[in-house]
Amino acid sequence: MKKISIRLFTIFVFIFLLLSESVIFYTYYLDSKKTTENLLQENIKANILDLKHFLDKNLKKDNIDELTTYLDNKVNSNPLFDDIHIISQNKKLLYTTNRSAHQTHTNIPCKTISQMKHSNMYTQRCYTFNIRQYNRLTPYYIKCNVYLDTKYLHKIENKIDTFLYYSIGYFLFFFLLIWFVVKYIIIHPLEKLRQFAYYSTKVPKEFFISELESIRYSLNLTFKRLKKEQQDLYTLSTKDSLSGLDNRLNLIEKTKWLIAKDKRSHEKFALLFLDLDDFKNINDSLGHEFGDKILQHISKRLLKSVRENDIVARFGGDEFVVVLPDIEHHNTILEVVQRIMQEVSLPIVANSLKYHVTCSIGISIYPDNGNTITELLKNADIAMYQSKNRNKNNFSFFTKDLDSAVQEKIKIQELLIKALDENNFQLFYQPKVDIKTNKIIACEALIRLVDPDEGIIPPDKFIWVAEENGIIIPIGEWIIKEAVSQIKKWQNTTLRDIKVSVNLSAIQFRDSNLLQKIDTFTQDINRKNIDIELTESVLIKDFENRLEIIKGIKKLGISLSLDDFGTGYSSLSYLKNIPFDTLKIDKTFIDTLYTKDDLTFVNMIIGIADNLGLNVVAEGVETEGQLQLLKEINCEQYQGYLCSKPVEPKEFEELFNKILV
Ligand code: C2E
Ligand code: CA
Ligand code: CA
């Protein structure tokens, strides 16, 4: 049984069924043939006995008509009888019911009634009996031959045979049908099932019955594997592979569900958007593998800091989102936020390195700061940026003001891109005045964005945005080119000696071709006519490199001014190391100049500048009083509304010529 293939087994079953069916039918066939034969025998026997009885009684009588009518009737009424002969002792045919046929009948062998039982009814053609008669007490015998209708008998036999053939044919057809049905409904699916069951291993050629057990086992394994794969897939689609936290998709799903729930119950929840501070530096300096380890540590700590039903998800990169359901007080949020910040900032030891990580968090609250997950995420992100701006390692709640600031920033970004495209920038010029002679000797070029729809937008509003997204680099190039073109225009006028100061942003130093560009742009002018203003912020990063560029600018013959002096780090070492020509005292020191006593700091700066051989420009001079005080301490130049605010070139020319006169 073990080694019988399914195909062979099915064939055996079919042959067995076919054989048993054949035996049953053949037996039935023989039986019905016998029964019919018996019935025929009975019928013939009864008719012959009836005939014998009639002849016994009536043969003596001379009523020949009655006799012949009886005999004819017998033949006509019984389809089994073909003919009846009455034959005399000397074998003379006395009477026949079918006179035309007697010739053929006479040679047919006849059997007696007693032999009937042992003869084959279907082949027997004639029966005979004697009727004893007396001629004056001398008996003599008259013979009666009864001829059967063999055609009719064959017909009956054929009918039974035909029934057998039809039955066999029908059952053969029926079995063939069953065979195909079994093959296509049972064997084929079983075969497929088997292929499927063996899908990871080699499928054996023959399909044995014993395999059904291994198929069951294999399918069992397959189902278990499928279940595991299903679970893995679920984890893959809902969890972040690195941290094991919920992924972005799952976070969105869960928060959507929370929104639907809290909408009904009028409850609040908080969404915390968390970004690690300076994570890029870790990745860049210590490698991505180390970065990944840090992310895993932070993920564990986040889970540790929150309650069980809080949602913690990795949003991507070094961004995480924590959702705190059922918030009753702001205090609950504050507690969690502080716990998170504390946990995150604990030192992390990985690869025998100790590292401190901090994070910036932005918080939005449902439904106060948004009704959808998109809004809540966006607003928490805005608040997070606010924390970054507040020196990082901080948290901020989203406010409407924050939102309008962000909207404003987005609008300005669009205006900047448009302005670059449509040339909507303009340079204004503000005079720098020689305090002793009261004459304009220089000016500062200050940019304006003149939007056709929004009007004039001052630089305070857009420079920082341009710096943040890097647009300041192409804008800065335009400023230099524009200033140079203005200097050229003034070359053959009274303004030929004027020095034009151009502000250079720290971000422009990220452009590795800065020096080369300045060189190219200023080819066609006397570089004595141009000055570059820098703030200390330029030197916070990448000091050595930038110092080289600054020295390069100086080498080109362009003078340098240190802008907003006194407001930044104001390290005196800058002044020693960098070849500045001018110090610009920031407006905040001038604003507070009312009496001589207020001059201490400005005086000190002038002293230092004198020692280093630098010019001094006081910025933001608005009053005659301020000017007088500056005059007293020998400040060389001033810039401020007292003389003029920044104006368009034409107006500047008029102003210059007026004062000149
Ligand atoms: P800054 O370089 O310190 O420019 C001086 C600013 O003080 C100018 O403002 C000027 O209009 C303003 N100011 C001058 N005198 C007075 C005064 O007496 N009273 C008052 N209240 N203000 C006075 P502005 O033009 O709005 O520029 C603001 C800042 O925008 C500049 O400060 C500079 O940091 C930046 N900026 C302006 N133009 C450019 C530029 O072309 N390139 C770059 N990178 N930055 C620029
Ligand atoms: Ca300036
Ligand atoms: Ca300034």
Side-chain angles (χ1 to χ4, degrees):
M1 194 69 172
K2 271 202 160 185
K3 281 289 168 193
I4 293 180
S5 77
I6 284 277
R7 198 176 296 277
L8 212 62
F9 176 75
T10 330
I11 290 172
F12 279 156
V13 168
F14 272 88
I15 289 176
F16 172 75
L17 283 175
L18 206 62
L19 280 177
S20 26
E21 183 266 341
S22 304
V23 169
I24 290 166
F25 269 89
Y26 193 65
T27 321
Y28 175 73
Y29 161 74
L30 290 180
D31 187 56
S32 59
K33 212 171 175 183
K34 193 77 209 155
T35 314
T36 315
E37 197 177 2
N38 285 344
L39 282 172
L40 287 172
Q41 227 165 39
E42 289 302 317
N43 185 306
I44 292 164
K45 200 173 173 181
N47 274 296
I48 288 175
L49 287 176
D50 183 50
L51 178 67
K52 189 170 185 289
H53 179 71
F54 180 82
L55 288 176
D56 272 345
K57 270 192 173 172
N58 296 301
L59 209 56
K60 271 186 280 187
K61 295 180 187 166
D62 288 334
N63 192 349
I64 201 84
D65 277 349
E66 194 184 341
L67 187 74
T68 55
T69 312
Y70 176 81
L71 289 177
D72 287 346
N73 249 348
K74 203 73 176 162
V75 171
N76 290 336
S77 65
N78 195 333
L80 287 168
F81 291 173
D82 187 34
D83 197 3
I84 299 172
H85 287 186
I86 308 286
I87 301 160
S88 68
Q89 205 161 1
N90 51 12
K91 293 187 180 164
K92 192 180 166 200
L93 182 65
L94 298 175
Y95 182 75
T96 174
T97 51
N98 179 8
R99 272 163 209 93
S100 62
H102 77 275
Q103 208 58 32
T104 44
H105 284 155
T106 44
N107 298 327
I108 295 170
C110 291
K111 286 201 169 155
T112 61
I113 297 171
S114 54
Q115 289 172 321
M116 189 185 261
K117 216 159 183 77
H118 310 289
S119 65
N120 182 345
M121 280 306 297
Y122 300 106
T123 51
Q124 191 52 44
R125 303 201 51 193
C126 171
Y127 288 101
T128 187
F129 60 87
N130 290 326
I131 309 148
R132 196 162 42 179
Q133 298 284 309
Y134 292 93
N135 191 1
R136 288 187 204 121
L137 292 175
T138 314
Y140 66 94
Y141 290 92
I142 300 250
K143 200 183 243 184
C144 178
N145 285 353
V146 177
Y147 296 98
L148 299 178
D149 187 340
T150 47
K151 270 188 201 159
Y152 184 70
L153 282 172
H154 279 137
K155 225 178 183 177
I156 292 173
E157 193 183 17
N158 281 345
K159 257 188 190 167
I160 297 169
D161 289 350
T162 316
F163 173 71
L164 177 79
Y165 300 144
Y166 273 118
S167 303
I168 288 175
Y170 169 74
F171 274 94
L172 263 177
F173 170 76
F174 180 72
F175 275 112
L176 271 176
L177 197 74
I178 296 268
W179 165 257
F180 278 110
V181 169
V182 166
K183 192 169 170 180
Y184 285 99
I185 292 184
I186 299 172
I187 297 185
H188 272 217
L190 261 176
E191 185 63 35
K192 273 187 191 163
L193 191 69
R194 173 169 169 266
Q195 303 272 350
F196 174 70
Y198 282 98
Y199 82 94
S200 56
T201 44
K202 215 178 157 209
V203 186
K205 253 190 179 159
E206 279 285 4
F207 183 12
F208 298 109
I209 287 186
S210 55
E211 266 186 73
L212 281 171
E213 171 51 24
S214 24
I215 287 174
R216 189 200 62 78
Y217 178 74
S218 172
L219 280 179
N220 200 13
L221 272 186
T222 309
F223 287 133
K224 272 188 191 159
R225 193 166 41 204
L226 270 176
K227 200 162 181 188
K228 198 183 166 297
E229 277 171 10
Q230 220 172 20
Q231 260 166 1
D232 289 351
L233 259 172
Y234 176 76
T235 314
L236 204 72
S237 63
T238 56
K239 298 283 172 193
D240 171 60
S241 56
L242 177 75
S243 63
L245 300 177
D246 287 340
N247 63 13
R248 184 195 287 237
L249 241 155
N250 201 17
L251 164 81
I252 291 170
E253 281 307 308
K254 283 185 175 176
T255 316
K256 273 184 181 170
W257 179 85
L258 200 63
I259 290 173
K261 180 181 98 51
D262 286 2
K263 202 175 201 168
R264 274 180 267 121
S265 58
H266 301 289
E267 280 176 293
K268 291 188 174 195
F269 70 82
L271 188 143
L272 278 51
F273 199 103
L274 190 148
D275 188 288
L276 300 184
D277 297 329
D278 304 316
F279 186 72
K280 195 176 172 295
N281 290 349
I282 301 179
N283 257 348
D284 290 350
S285 56
L286 300 165
H288 282 263
E289 238 172 86
F290 187 80
D292 284 353
K293 276 190 183 153
I294 298 270
L295 288 174
Q296 282 165 340
H297 274 284
I298 299 289
S299 303
K300 276 185 201 147
R301 289 177 180 188
L302 286 178
L303 280 175
K304 218 173 117 188
S305 318
V306 299
R307 302 162 303 176
E308 208 178 323
N309 59 340
D310 293 339
I311 302 165
V312 183
R314 182 165 169 232
F315 201 66
D318 61 340
E319 295 170 337
F320 296 86
V321 170
V322 177
V323 178
L324 312 172
D326 310 327
I327 295 299
E328 276 166 21
H329 297 289
H330 264 49
N331 278 354
T332 326
I333 307 173
L334 287 177
E335 275 168 27
V336 181
V337 167
Q338 272 157 3
R339 215 164 38 232
I340 288 177
M341 290 183 60
Q342 205 178 344
E343 276 290 333
V344 169
S345 62
L346 290 174
I348 293 172
V349 184
N351 295 358
S352 63
L353 277 169
K354 212 174 182 184
Y355 219 89
H356 283 275
V357 181
T358 57
C359 64
S360 301
I361 300 175
I363 305 154
S364 64
I365 293 166
Y366 172 87
D368 308 355
N369 306 141
N371 287 313
T372 64
I373 172 77
T374 321
E375 264 180 286
L376 290 166
L377 277 169
K378 189 192 84 189
N379 292 341
D381 189 42
I382 290 172
M384 190 275 291
Y385 269 97
Q386 167 79 352
S387 307
K388 290 258 181 218
N389 289 334
R390 285 192 196 158
N391 288 332
K392 303 170 182 173
N393 193 19
N394 224 315
F395 68 89
S396 313
F397 281 90
F398 172 80
T399 59
K400 283 254 154 18
D401 287 350
L402 256 183
D403 187 38
S404 40
V406 169
Q407 297 308 330
E408 174 81 12
K409 186 170 136 186
I410 293 169
K411 193 176 151 195
I412 285 174
Q413 266 172 344
E414 286 165 3
L415 287 177
L416 282 173
I417 293 165
K418 187 175 138 202
L420 260 183
D421 219 42
E422 299 177 0
N423 201 18
N424 289 340
F425 292 114
Q426 217 179 314
L427 283 187
F428 276 42
Y429 298 88
Q430 187 180 32
K432 288 180 183 173
V433 183
D434 184 315
I435 294 178
K436 268 187 199 143
T437 62
N438 204 28
K439 279 178 186 163
I440 297 171
I441 50 166
C443 65
E444 180 178 2
L446 293 155
I447 193 168
R448 302 288 179 263
L449 199 172
V450 190
D451 188 81
D453 306 316
E454 304 289 324
I456 296 181
I457 301 163
D460 282 339
K461 283 214 168 142
F462 66 82
I463 290 290
W464 67 276
V465 182
E467 283 181 334
E468 217 172 82
N469 62 22
I471 291 189
I472 192 69
I473 293 176
I475 295 177
E477 286 175 19
W478 177 86
I479 292 166
I480 301 170
K481 284 186 199 161
E482 179 62 20
V484 165
S485 129
Q486 190 58 64
I487 290 166
K488 269 195 210 162
K489 279 181 199 159
W490 284 335
Q491 246 167 21
N492 298 318
T493 68
T494 46
L495 289 94
R496 76 184 76 84
D497 293 324
I498 204 126
K499 199 186 249 301
V500 178
S501 288
V502 172
N503 292 283
L504 211 63
S505 158
I507 306 300
Q508 287 177 266
F509 281 80
R510 288 189 193 156
D511 177 5
S512 53
N513 295 322
L514 178 66
L515 179 60
Q516 197 195 325
K517 280 177 184 168
I518 294 174
D519 184 17
T520 319
F521 299 155
T522 56
Q523 288 287 333
D524 299 338
I525 52 158
N526 183 348
R527 289 185 175 125
K528 283 204 169 98
N529 283 131
I530 193 160
D531 173 83
I532 278 177
E533 291 190 12
L534 302 168
T535 60
E536 285 154 306
S537 65
V538 170
L539 298 153
I540 293 172
K541 270 187 183 175
D542 206 10
F543 182 82
E544 296 296 327
N545 236 335
R546 293 186 177 183
L547 185 62
E548 277 313 298
I549 298 171
I550 292 167
K551 282 181 177 168
I553 296 172
K554 176 81 182 182
K555 259 193 198 151
L556 290 175
I558 296 172
S559 63
L560 298 168
S561 299
L562 181 56
D563 206 356
D564 303 342
F565 186 74
T567 55
Y569 306 90
S570 295
S571 159
L572 290 178
S573 63
Y574 288 146
L575 300 177
K576 241 174 65 192
N577 291 325
I578 305 163
F580 282 116
D581 299 280
T582 308
L583 266 186
K584 292 187 83 179
I585 303 174
D586 192 72
K587 181 175 176 293
T588 46
F589 301 106
I590 311 302
D591 281 347
T592 49
L593 283 187
Y594 298 108
T595 65
K596 279 187 184 174
D597 298 339
D598 305 322
L599 279 170
T600 328
F601 189 72
V602 180
N603 212 357
M604 200 178 77
I605 297 172
I606 291 172
I608 295 167
D610 268 352
N611 273 328
L612 293 167
L614 305 175
N615 296 321
V616 175
V617 179
E619 275 192 292
V621 179
E622 292 180 348
T623 65
E624 202 55 54
Q626 289 166 340
L627 181 64
Q628 283 312 314
L629 287 170
L630 290 167
K631 215 177 208 170
E632 276 177 35
I633 52 170
N634 291 327
C635 180
E636 288 137 352
Q637 293 172 41
Y638 86 89
Q639 184 184 341
Y641 289 179
L642 181 63
C643 172
S644 167
K645 32 180 210 168
V647 289
E648 288 186 51
K650 215 164 175 51
E651 209 178 318
F652 180 79
E653 286 162 25
E654 283 166 15
L655 200 68
F656 178 88
N657 289 325
K658 201 171 86 185
I659 291 175
L660 192 72
V661 176

